[in-house]
């Protein structure tokens, strides 16, 4: 495993967490966090990817507000309701530019969890530079939230890169009909592999450590993460 270097980096006014193999790498990933933002677990995800040779840059949906790990959940939900689709995607595009132009990455993908999972699918349909899209339990409810102005399924159908999407069978936020709509959009594509995981009984956000007191979630996370890492390595490898 390579040595890694990690730090908080300001990218054109955007707060980010950067973790990469010492000296950088040609493989890159843009991480789109869950509601807790760039908390301890997302930093660990980034460090793990860096340890596997992938430069990992994490978007901060909360724009440098106090540590999400120390913020009450009701406040985080308020912040989430204020997120603007178009503005958030513009920030992600800026970070993809940074990964390519400033960090020297040649193949860059994106991985998101929950709210970040939804954004990963939409970003994949918009920005065809992406080498992959990984969407962990994307938050695409049956009735869109008021600030969900873009249709995730519509953009999912436009993704050209290989996609891995992971759905928990016990998801109480995303009904199975929404998952099936996303899956149909993936499988309607003329190009780009579709790898779909279903974890029966697992809950929304099963990858979050605080949900691992439920052994179904812990088992799902333990099984899913190594496969996601292998998929990322395979799709960002520069020949």
């Amino acid at each position: 495993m390579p040595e890694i270097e990690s730090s908080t980096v300001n990218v054109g006014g955007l707060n980010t967490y950067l973790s990469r193999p010492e000296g950088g790498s040609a493989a890159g990933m843009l991480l789109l966090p869950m509601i807790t933002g760039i908390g301890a677990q997302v930093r660990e995800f980034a460090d793990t990817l860096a340890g596997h040779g992938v430069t990992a840059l994490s978007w901060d949906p909360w724009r440098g507000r106090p540590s999400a790990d120390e913020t009450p959940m009701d406040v985080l939900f308020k912040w989430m309701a204020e997120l603007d689709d178009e503005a958030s995607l513009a920030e992600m595009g800026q970070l993809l530019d940074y990964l390519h132009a400033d960090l020297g990455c040649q193949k860059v993908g994106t991985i998101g969890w929950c709210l970040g999972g939804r954004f990963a699918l939409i970003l994949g349909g918009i920005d065809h530079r992406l080498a992959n899209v990984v969407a962990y339990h994307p938050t695409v409810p049956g009735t869109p939230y008021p600030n969900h102005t873009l249709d995730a399924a519509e953009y999912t159908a436009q993704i050209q890169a290989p996609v891995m999407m992971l759905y928990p069978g016990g998801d109480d936020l995303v009904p199975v009909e929404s998952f099936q709509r996303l899956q149909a959009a993936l499988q309607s594509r003329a190009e780009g592999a579709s790898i779909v995981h279903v974890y029966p009984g697992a809950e929304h956000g099963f990858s979050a450590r605080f949900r691992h007191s439920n052994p179904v979630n812990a088992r799902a996370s333990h099984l899913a993460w190594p496969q996601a890492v292998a998929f990322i390595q395979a799709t960002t490898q520069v020949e």
Side-chain angles (χ1 to χ4, degrees), residues 12-23:
L14 302 178
N15 181 59
T16 72
Y17 178 76
L18 172 64
S19 188
R20 60 179 180 169
E22 195 168 25

Side-chain angles (χ1 to χ4, degrees), residues 31-183:
L31 278 61
L32 308 178
M34 62 284 277
I35 195 171
T36 47
I38 306 179
Q41 191 166 8
V42 166
R43 293 195 299 270
E44 289 175 17
F45 287 148
D47 292 347
T48 297
L49 292 177
H52 284 82
V54 179
T55 294
L57 184 68
S58 301
W59 170 64
D60 180 7
W62 312 137
R63 302 297 297 271
R65 286 166 169 163
S67 170
D69 287 332
E70 302 168 5
T71 303
M73 194 60 70
D74 61 331
V75 175
L76 293 174
F77 276 107
K78 179 178 181 295
W79 292 352
M80 185 173 68
E82 296 169 353
L83 281 177
D84 178 83
D85 278 353
E86 299 282 2
S88 297
L89 289 158
E91 292 180 0
M92 296 168 200
Q94 183 178 338
L95 297 183
L96 288 175
D97 291 343
Y98 181 75
L99 279 159
H100 283 286
D102 294 82
L103 297 180
C105 296
Q106 298 177 38
K107 287 190 176 182
V108 178
T110 189
I111 179 170
W113 298 263
C114 298
L115 74 89
R118 172 180 174 269
F119 275 127
L121 294 171
I122 298 172
L123 182 64
I126 291 173
D127 198 318
H128 294 159
R129 292 177 294 175
L130 289 172
N132 65 50
V133 173
V134 182
Y136 261 87
H137 32 70
T139 304
V140 183
T143 301
Y145 297 149
N147 62 328
H148 285 188
T149 56
L150 299 179
D151 181 1
E154 176 185 342
Y155 286 92
T156 296
Q158 300 173 35
I159 300 172
Q160 296 179 2
V163 177
M164 175 179 284
M165 182 173 68
L166 306 94
Y167 178 74
D171 198 320
D172 60 348
L173 291 181
V174 181
V176 67
E177 293 80 10
S178 290
F179 159 67
Q180 290 170 342
R181 186 165 173 256
L182 292 172
Q183 184 177 24

